[in-house]
Amino acid sequence: MGQDHGAQARRTEAAALVLLLGWALSVALRDWNVWADDLSALYFAARFAAEGAWDLAYAAPAHIIGYGMTPEWDAEAAALGYPGAHLNRYVYPPLWAALFAPLAARLDPLIFYNGFVLLHLGAVLAGLLACRRMIPERSFSPLVLAGLSVLLLESSVAGLFLFDLVQPQALVIGLCLCALERAQSGRQTTAGLLLAIAASIKIAPGLLVLAFVVCGMWGAVRAFALFGAALLALSVLLAGVEAHRLFLTAAAELDGIVFLLAINPSASALLWVLDALWTGVPLAEVDAKEVVAKPAWIGTAVPLLALTATAATLWIVRRTPKADRVWLAGGMLYLVMTLFGGFAWLHYMVLPLLMLPGLAGLSPLGRGFSVVLFFGLLQSIPFYKVVLDLFPAPVPQILLGIAVTLGFWAMMAQTARRLAAGAASSRQDESAPAGA
């Protein structure tokens, strides 16, 4: 009987793996030899870095962010045989432009993009596996978990943007999830290294180091600090001080504006909406891609709110069993990072979507499916299109995105409280006198 059960479990695992690999293959075929809008920033910055032209690598278009770049970028794309191609500004740390400069200088953009399609798919699959290992399975089988994950990725706006634009956030998401899983498994040095790499790509994921702190995983904290310092030193060595000054200038420039776009549901955008209501700005007339200066009070309020949300996260998870505490704290801190960052792009939400089936599986079967259906619907492409058609101005979409982010955070907070209560009840039962 035990052998039959073991064989069935292996077949289920194999079927889940085949499903995930089949999905990855379909995405790779769909995005193969397709212009990668978001990755264009890295490719062209790396080409200019290869020439030592860091001023061009960090050149900014007149409209701050979005499609279309400076004439030098457009001319470079045309010279490579892609006139009028969509290009995005480079706002990542210099390290990555420097590291990929030799490749970008020698490879056609589509070949470069194809390599990253495979890299990003590998990162997401690794993140999915990390979620499987971190979150205990109860209601859903491995095959159901895999099926739900594929359904969420393929039906969501977040998944569409992440893969079709070849957005580097895919790599960040995989690194963050694998860092949390390695920490949970006791591989603290590896966990710190992975998180340091994620933070060296987009900086903000460094907030997740507090998940190690709240678990007392000081080895992971030390590894994060040491590897982070080493990556910074390598960056300065390869790119020089001037490139870092240009990067900080670009980051400060972006931090001074609010980008009112339906796919940017950030706290800054919400606070600007409140400010507009107070000052009488007609929100129905706000353009769907408007860039506005960030009022000084928002620049002060957002960090204070982020600190408050971070403190609340650590307070809520502090009594959760350590094995569950690290991934719950990491997931909740990631949502805090997303909401209070300068740009809360919808593709950032792929990380909670990857965690969602496992989280929902902690509840009874019917309730778990309802949770997946609820969040999946709110993030789905058809629902998003309906909201876009009903409300041409971006404000309703921004509010919807913020509500979904808060909903994910609240669900994780409730899970943390429930697991903490269960652990406390178990300790009381174990300490009760025999026969009591």
Side-chain angles (χ1 to χ4, degrees):
M1 190 70 176
Q3 291 180 344
D4 291 342
H5 183 271
Q8 178 62 36
R10 288 192 294 273
R11 285 194 293 269
T12 302
E13 290 280 3
L17 180 61
V18 168
L19 175 60
L20 291 175
L21 291 177
W23 164 79
L25 178 61
S26 71
V27 174
L29 292 174
R30 182 181 71 204
D31 295 334
W32 202 255
N33 283 335
V34 174
W35 189 266
D37 294 24
D38 283 6
L39 198 66
S40 67
L42 174 60
Y43 176 81
F44 284 92
R47 285 188 68 89
F48 288 119
E51 302 168 8
W54 284 102
D55 57 327
L56 293 179
Y58 281 104
H63 47 77
I64 305 295
I65 195 167
Y67 292 142
M69 272 296 298
T70 56
E72 292 85 358
W73 280 55
D74 291 331
E76 187 77 7
L80 289 167
Y82 301 94
H86 285 165
L87 305 175
N88 277 323
R89 181 182 183 183
Y90 187 70
V91 288
Y92 302 110
L95 174 63
W96 301 100
L99 286 175
F100 286 106
L103 279 178
R106 291 170 173 80
L107 296 179
D108 180 84
L110 293 186
I111 297 175
F112 187 85
Y113 298 160
N114 289 341
F116 271 84
V117 167
L118 298 179
L119 178 63
H120 289 173
L121 283 169
V124 171
L125 288 176
L128 274 170
L129 178 60
C131 289
R132 278 278 315 277
R133 291 172 62 91
M134 284 189 296
I135 306 174
E137 297 170 23
R138 294 181 187 174
S139 294
F140 300 144
S141 72
L143 183 57
V144 172
L145 284 170
L148 290 174
S149 297
V150 168
L151 181 62
L152 290 169
L153 288 169
E154 281 298 292
S155 66
S156 66
V157 178
L160 174 69
F161 287 150
L162 189 77
F163 294 113
D164 288 7
L165 300 180
V166 193
Q167 166 54 232
Q169 187 68 19
L171 184 56
V172 172
I173 286 169
L175 287 166
C176 288
L177 288 171
C178 289
L180 296 173
E181 188 279 327
R182 289 292 80 192
Q184 186 195 58
S185 299
R187 304 295 181 87
Q188 294 191 32
T189 300
T190 304
L193 169 62
L194 293 173
L195 187 59
I197 296 173
S200 73
I201 298 173
K202 289 203 173 180
I203 299 180
L207 181 65
L208 272 64
V209 74
L210 294 179
F212 303 153
V213 173
V214 78
C215 294
M217 296 178 173
W218 303 112
V221 175
R222 285 193 296 271
F224 171 79
L226 290 173
F227 285 119
L231 287 169
L232 177 59
L234 178 62
S235 183
V236 174
L237 179 66
L238 292 178
V241 174
E242 177 62 14
H244 290 78
R245 185 192 66 78
L246 291 168
F247 164 65
L248 294 175
T249 299
E253 182 182 5
L254 293 178
D255 190 52
I257 58 103
V258 178
F259 196 32
L260 299 175
L261 183 64
I263 61 170
N264 178 35
S266 67
S268 294
L270 173 61
L271 293 179
W272 185 91
V273 169
L274 296 177
D275 186 79
L277 289 171
W278 180 260
T279 57
V281 174
L283 293 176
E285 299 176 10
V286 173
D287 186 74
K289 290 186 179 180
E290 187 166 345
V291 177
V292 296
K294 181 184 292 183
W297 76 269
I298 293 180
T300 301
V302 168
L304 292 177
L305 289 171
L307 286 172
T308 302
T310 299
T313 295
L314 300 179
W315 177 262
I316 288 169
V317 303
R318 74 195 190 286
R319 298 188 188 282
T320 306
K322 186 180 291 188
D324 295 310
R325 191 189 314 160
V326 65
W327 62 263
L328 277 167
M332 293 170 71
L333 288 168
Y334 179 91
L335 292 167
V336 170
M337 173 208 85
T338 298
L339 182 60
F340 295 102
F343 302 100
W345 303 121
L346 284 184
H347 51 253
Y348 285 24
M349 299 307 290
V350 165
L351 185 143
L353 283 176
L354 294 180
M355 298 180 80
L356 178 59
L359 273 168
L362 297 177
S363 301
L365 189 61
R367 187 186 303 170
F369 272 117
S370 298
V371 168
V372 173
L373 179 63
F374 176 73
F375 281 101
L377 174 64
L378 292 182
Q379 293 275 277
S380 68
I381 296 170
F383 185 79
Y384 186 77
K385 287 182 176 179
V386 168
V387 176
L388 278 177
D389 291 339
L390 289 176
F391 307 101
V395 175
Q397 296 93 340
I398 290 171
L399 296 178
L400 172 64
I402 290 172
V404 170
T405 303
L406 293 175
F408 272 122
W409 188 90
M411 180 177 63
M412 292 184 187
Q414 180 58 30
T415 301
R417 290 184 180 279
R418 190 169 71 247
L419 292 173
S425 177
S426 297
R427 287 193 297 268
Q428 288 178 355
D429 292 341
E430 291 172 1
S431 62

